[in-house]
Amino acid sequence: MDTALFLDICRENSLPCGEPEARKLSDFADFLLAENEKYNLTAIREERALMLRHLCDSMTVIPLIPEGARVLDIGSGAGFPALPLALLRPDVTVTALDATAKKASFINAAASKLALSNLAAVSGRAEELAHDPAYREAFDIVTARAVSRLSVLSELAAGFIKPGCRLLAMKGDPSATEEELRAAEKICRTLSLSHEETKLLTLTDAGAGESLTRSIVIMKKTAPTPASYPRRYSQIIKN
Ligand code: SAH
């Protein structure tokens, strides 16, 4: 990947990134594109699109993560936002979770290639792992990008979050977010998740004629999650 071009796109979007970090993200992108030829990790196969849509978009969450936080990224896929976050924030510890074992092993391979000791991936389903005492209410922040509608994601995430801490749901089209929030109201009351704020973002790559709108929905957990939540997936999606 063209590191200089990537740094230009970061600057265009006021996303701080040093040169050594950009070189590492470049190596990661090369590794991802190569592995993606062997098995499906991401639908984005073009280098320049990957810079904006995966790397820069993942970086938008960084200012919202408190110093030293323990972070869980649900449904990381090929490592977004988990890997850019771990790389650019050595103070935080990131656990990447994905239901697909191949994706979790890809993230672990990438983390070891880049010598990232603050990132580890596990494969499993969020609704099951959330009942494991080692994971229950163990995280300061849960992130999830492009994972389920909010009514489902809230229930997948709530059990992992320490009371008083937050879910950062990274969403595409902001126009759909309000409707998703309304549909999630009831389950969020049950889970003591309250909507704090929705951040609206624009990401651009003028040279490529690209402009994307995104949103990050911030939910704060105000009380412990009832022990019977999350429920089985078949029940969760009935919300
Ligand atoms: N966050 C990545 C991937 C989004 S695709 C990105 O933004 O590029 C959604 C991912 O969530 C898939 O990789 C899928 O395997 C995972 N996923 C969906 N439901 C899940 C669940 N219940 N538990 C764990 N992972 C899940």
Side-chain angles (χ1 to χ4, degrees):
M1 188 176 95
D2 181 342
T3 305
L5 174 62
F6 174 64
L7 279 167
D8 283 344
I9 299 172
C10 288
R11 269 191 289 274
E12 179 177 340
N13 291 284
S14 306
L15 295 166
C17 184
E19 213 174 308
E21 289 80 9
R23 268 198 298 275
K24 284 195 165 191
L25 286 173
S26 251
D27 291 346
F28 170 59
D30 293 342
F31 180 52
L32 169 56
L33 290 171
E35 291 297 295
N36 207 35
E37 297 285 316
K38 302 183 209 157
Y39 55 100
N40 187 39
L41 286 163
T42 173
I44 297 176
R45 298 195 156 72
E46 206 262 310
E47 190 180 288
R48 188 154 183 171
L50 193 148
M51 293 183 201
L52 190 70
R53 290 169 178 264
H54 278 337
L55 301 178
C56 290
D57 189 32
S58 293
M59 289 160 70
T60 60
V61 82
I62 288 173
L64 302 172
I65 313 266
E67 178 80 24
R70 191 172 174 206
V71 178
L72 177 75
D73 185 35
I74 296 181
S76 272
F80 303 109
L83 191 136
L85 169 61
L87 177 62
L88 291 161
R89 285 287 299 274
D91 60 295
V92 308
T93 308
V94 183
T95 303
L97 168 66
D98 204 280
T100 305
K102 271 192 170 170
K103 292 179 176 171
S105 357
F106 167 78
I107 296 171
N108 280 326
S112 95
K113 242 177 148 41
L114 301 178
L116 286 178
S117 56
N118 62 335
L119 171 64
V122 287
S123 86
R125 296 209 51 97
E127 64 276 21
E128 290 167 11
L129 208 64
H131 289 285
D132 181 328
Y135 289 85
R136 187 89 180 167
E137 306 198 322
F139 296 90
D140 304 298
I141 290 283
V142 170
T143 56
R145 191 184 79 145
V147 181
S148 313
R149 51 190 194 275
L150 273 172
S151 55
V152 174
L153 177 60
S154 303
E155 185 163 347
L156 294 179
F160 293 108
I161 307 169
K162 291 181 191 166
C165 294
R166 291 172 178 82
L167 165 66
L168 307 176
M170 304 173 74
K171 295 274 168 192
D173 180 9
S175 65
T177 310
E178 283 306 308
E179 178 49 40
E180 277 194 43
L181 268 167
R182 262 192 300 280
E185 265 171 24
K186 186 164 168 268
I187 186 70
C188 284
R189 260 196 308 278
T190 305
L191 298 168
S192 299
L193 281 176
S194 78
H195 177 227
E196 264 193 333
E197 193 188 347
T198 301
K199 294 227 175 263
L200 297 179
L201 312 157
T202 307
L203 287 169
T204 61
D205 176 359
E210 279 244 64
S211 177
L212 312 170
T213 50
R214 295 280 183 261
S215 55
I216 303 177
V217 181
I218 307 176
M219 312 283 294
K220 183 174 179 177
K221 178 163 141 176
T222 55
T225 303
S228 52
Y229 289 85
R231 297 164 293 168
R232 285 201 312 274
Y233 196 70
S234 56
Q235 281 182 285
I236 296 175
I237 56 174
K238 282 188 195 150
N239 284 334

